[in-house]
Amino acid sequence: MAKLHVKKGDQILVLSGKDKGKKGKVLSSLPTAGKVVVEGINIVKKHTRPTQTVQAGIYDQEAPVYSAKVMVICPSCKKATRIKKAQITKANKVAWVRACKKCGELLDK
Ligand SMILES: [Zn+2]
């Protein structure tokens, strides 16, 4: 399975498209599609049929965006950054985690 550079819970910056320059939080990632769903980004109108519990209407819903169109915002230096890989040792095991290319802070802990 392809790995994305963005994960659920990341703050991201949108690089292109109608939401260019907007920031949001990743709600879910879809690695097989290479896409992520971001809070408040790429909103589409969704028409729903009435059911017993839900009224018919038009709802706003986030549609997935390509992960290549977003950049992770480092929680440490607050900048949109590229990701580098950093090696850490966890319980005597070597693991690779994501780190900020600008300040070096680990993004996965
Ligand atoms: Zn940083």
Side-chain angles (χ1 to χ4, degrees):
M1 192 166 76
K3 264 194 172 176
L4 298 180
H5 68 291
V6 279
K7 282 186 181 173
K8 188 178 173 182
D10 282 347
Q11 288 289 330
I12 58 90
L13 174 72
V14 181
L15 300 176
S16 63
K18 63 174 181 174
D19 292 312
K20 186 178 177 180
K22 283 191 191 172
K23 292 170 184 174
K25 188 177 152 195
V26 176
L27 298 176
S28 62
S29 65
L30 313 162
T32 43
K35 291 180 173 184
V36 289
V37 178
V38 186
E39 196 174 47
I41 302 297
N42 202 23
I43 298 291
V44 293
K45 300 281 182 198
K46 187 141 185 162
H47 297 256
T48 54
R49 291 163 175 274
T51 65
Q52 284 185 338
T53 50
V54 185
Q55 279 193 320
I58 303 168
Y59 295 88
D60 287 344
Q61 197 181 51
E62 287 93 352
V65 293
Y66 279 108
S67 67
K69 286 189 174 183
V70 305
M71 220 172 179
V72 175
I73 298 169
C74 170
S76 179
C77 64
K78 312 285 180 203
K79 287 174 188 157
T81 182
R82 294 182 69 87
I83 300 299
K84 66 173 184 179
K85 285 192 168 180
Q87 203 177 35
I88 58 161
T89 309
K90 223 179 194 174
N92 290 324
K93 274 186 185 167
V94 173
W96 290 94
V97 295
R98 299 176 308 155
C100 171
K101 214 163 189 175
K102 288 187 173 147
C103 70
E105 187 69 23
L106 300 183
L107 299 176
D108 301 310
K109 288 179 184 163

